[in-house]
């Protein structure tokens, strides 16, 4: 995607150094961080310098490749690096998928094999996202109002994104889409990242408070909901950013189509249903405190909750397959219930 006249991916590798867009500084500053070793890359995943299932997966693959590079002169395998990378974020299936693939390639082909596999995973993620856009854009009518939650745009993947990819394609096809952007408390991925992406692309949108979606649905101002996914169980139950379940229930109530957009790498065929998906619990500080800039652009962290109050901060929730109209994948739009079978039969 183009930023300031240059083409960027969210994460990439040059030599043994991983490069990524520093997403914690967006939308106020655009900068690239360089991570020299697997420990630095793993820390960047945990601290959400890179976030979003596909981008996390690509970064984790590159981190695993760095682990093999670091062990190049030794006879032992990078077990500690693998464990450290796997411990960064528990919900995004793409992370586990990528680490396993790069691990296998590194065991068979050494550091060069690991790097080649990590690059292939990143390229496949970008390619899948592009194809998801082509399939998904068929669901978007002329002048459609699309509601999305969190950020499943190109920042959440290597390029193109999933939930936003059909919107980018529809916009290029001249369909004039408009997007309702849920702000997505507590970290504000919608208000910060999705809104920034759509501004870059020149696509009309409005940020709405997380609790405003049902209001716009009730007034007939939402034609379709498209969101991403962090892990899809074999039966189609889908974990996505906290607040997604509520949007699915509302969409179902008002008879509005509710689609998940995700690559097949996000399906965990070994996970039978949503109850088995691990849900990340993040720091309560993310609820109690917010970060932003003042009128002069100076960055501040301020408390937004009653002093002394405690908070809970689950990062994801699970939408049952029954509420999902379909999953937009790189192979086409599938029934949620067939997710496990499709992932099992999928060949790289
Ligand atoms: O906590 P994050 O920002 O890594 O959350 C992941 C997400 O971006 C969303 O849940 C998104 O909708 C899924 S698409 C990668």
């Amino acid at each position: 995607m183009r930023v300031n006249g240059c083409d960027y991916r969210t994460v990439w590798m040059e030599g043994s150094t991983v490069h990524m867009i520093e997403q914690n500084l967006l939308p106020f500053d655009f900068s690239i961080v360089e991570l020299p070793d697997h420990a630095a890359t793993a820390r960047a995943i945990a601290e959400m310098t890179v976030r979003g299932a596909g981008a996390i997966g690509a970064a984790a693959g590159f981190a695993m490749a760095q682990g093999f590079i670091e062990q190049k002169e030794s006879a032992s395998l990078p077990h500690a690096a693998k464990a450290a990378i796997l411990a960064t974020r528990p919900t995004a299936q793409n992370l586990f998928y990528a680490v396993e693939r790069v691990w296998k390639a590194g065991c068979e082909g050494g550091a060069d094999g690991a790097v080649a596999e990590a690059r292939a995973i990143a390229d496949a993620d970008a390619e899948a996202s592009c194809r998801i856009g082509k399939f998904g854009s068929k669901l978007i009518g002329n002048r459609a109002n699309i509601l999305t939650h969190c950020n499943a745009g190109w920042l959440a993947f290597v390029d193109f994104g999933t939930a936003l990819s059909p919107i980018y394609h529809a916009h290029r096809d001249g369909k004039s889409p408009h997007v309702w952007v849920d702000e997505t408390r507590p970290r504000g991925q919608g208000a910060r990242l999705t809104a920034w992406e759509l501004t870059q692309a020149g696509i009309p949108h409005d940020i709405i408070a997380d609790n405003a979606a049902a209001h716009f649905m009730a007034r007939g101002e939402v034609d379709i909901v498209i969101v991403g996914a962090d892990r899809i169980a074999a039966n189609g139950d889908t974990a996505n950013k906290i607040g997604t379940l509520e949007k699915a229930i509302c969409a179902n109530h008002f008879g509005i189509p509710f689609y998940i957009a995700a690559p097949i790498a996000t399906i965990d065929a070994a996970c039978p249903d949503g109850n088995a998906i691990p849900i990340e619990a993040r720091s309560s500080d993310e609820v109690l405190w917010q970060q932003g800039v003042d009128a002069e652009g100076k960055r501040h962290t301020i408390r937004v909750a009653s002093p002394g109050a405690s908070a809970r901060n689950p990062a994801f929730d699970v939408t049952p397959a029954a509420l999902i109209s379909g999953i937009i994948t790189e192979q086409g739009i599938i029934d949620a219930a067939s997710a496990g079978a499709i992932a099992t039969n999928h060949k790289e």
Side-chain angles (χ1 to χ4, degrees):
M1 284 285 168
R2 279 187 96 65
V3 182
N4 304 329
C6 296
D7 282 326
Y8 283 95
R9 283 186 163 192
T10 307
V11 54
W12 68 97
M13 195 168 180
E14 289 177 19
S16 60
T17 303
V18 174
H19 298 238
M20 58 177 68
I21 296 170
E22 170 45 284
Q23 298 198 35
N24 285 319
L25 297 184
L26 285 172
F28 309 112
D29 293 296
F30 181 82
S31 69
I32 306 297
V33 293
E34 298 185 9
L35 307 157
D37 53 31
H38 85 270
T41 306
R43 204 174 316 117
I45 297 170
E47 292 173 357
M48 295 178 67
T49 297
V50 67
R51 33 66 49 201
I56 290 171
F62 287 137
M64 192 67 261
Q66 287 178 309
F68 277 97
I69 293 169
E70 290 153 26
Q71 294 285 91
K72 217 169 179 174
E73 308 305 328
S74 110
S76 54
L77 291 168
H79 285 283
K82 183 182 184 191
I85 300 160
L86 290 179
T88 51
R89 297 205 61 193
T91 305
Q93 167 64 9
N94 304 55
L95 181 150
F96 300 90
Y97 167 87
V99 168
E100 280 317 319
R101 268 185 62 176
V102 176
W103 178 260
K104 190 161 173 281
C107 291
E108 288 165 6
D112 290 346
V115 171
E117 189 71 351
R119 287 193 202 287
I121 289 168
D123 289 345
D125 180 88
E127 170 67 16
S129 291
C130 184
R131 288 175 62 81
I132 284 168
K134 286 182 190 152
F135 287 117
S137 66
K138 299 193 179 94
L139 298 168
I140 297 177
N142 233 353
R143 309 189 74 75
N145 285 299
I146 306 123
L147 182 127
T148 193
H149 191 70
C150 194
N151 172 261
W154 70 270
L155 288 166
F157 290 84
V158 174
D159 208 348
F160 299 104
T162 55
L164 295 193
S165 187
I167 299 170
Y168 290 138
H169 277 81
H171 176 68
R172 269 173 226 151
D173 294 346
K175 287 185 182 169
S176 306
H178 165 267
V179 187
W180 296 114
V181 178
D182 288 344
E183 60 177 344
T184 319
R185 283 272 286 149
R187 289 188 66 100
Q189 287 96 330
R192 290 166 180 262
L193 305 178
T194 297
W196 181 78
E197 279 196 34
L198 293 173
T199 300
Q200 301 287 315
I203 297 178
H205 60 280
D206 289 288
I207 297 169
I208 57 173
D210 285 325
N211 37 16
H215 168 78
F216 289 106
M217 290 184 189
R219 291 163 58 118
E221 293 187 53
V222 178
D223 298 306
I224 183 170
V225 181
I226 309 180
V227 299
D230 294 273
R231 190 184 298 225
I232 301 171
N235 74 341
D237 292 351
T238 296
N240 192 52
K241 181 55 58 194
I242 192 77
T244 303
L245 170 61
E246 197 178 280
K247 307 302 173 257
I249 293 168
C250 292
N252 196 54
H253 177 79
F254 291 110
I256 297 167
F258 179 93
Y259 281 90
I260 299 290
I264 289 167
T266 303
I267 302 171
D268 181 359
C271 177
D273 58 43
N275 291 323
I277 299 178
I279 300 295
E280 178 178 8
R282 293 191 61 85
S283 165
S284 59
D285 282 352
E286 293 182 350
V287 175
L288 302 171
W289 299 81
Q290 291 285 282
Q291 295 179 346
V293 296
D294 62 21
E296 278 74 48
K298 195 161 179 288
R299 197 169 283 275
H300 296 283
T301 300
I302 58 166
R303 187 164 179 111
V304 292
S306 178
S310 59
R312 294 280 299 276
N313 186 16
F316 304 97
D317 58 26
V318 175
T319 299
L323 297 181
I324 298 170
S325 308
I327 302 176
I328 311 165
T329 75
E330 67 271 38
Q331 289 189 356
I333 301 173
I334 63 168
D335 271 348
S338 63
I342 297 226
T344 304
N345 295 327
H346 182 66
K347 298 275 171 287
E348 300 313 330

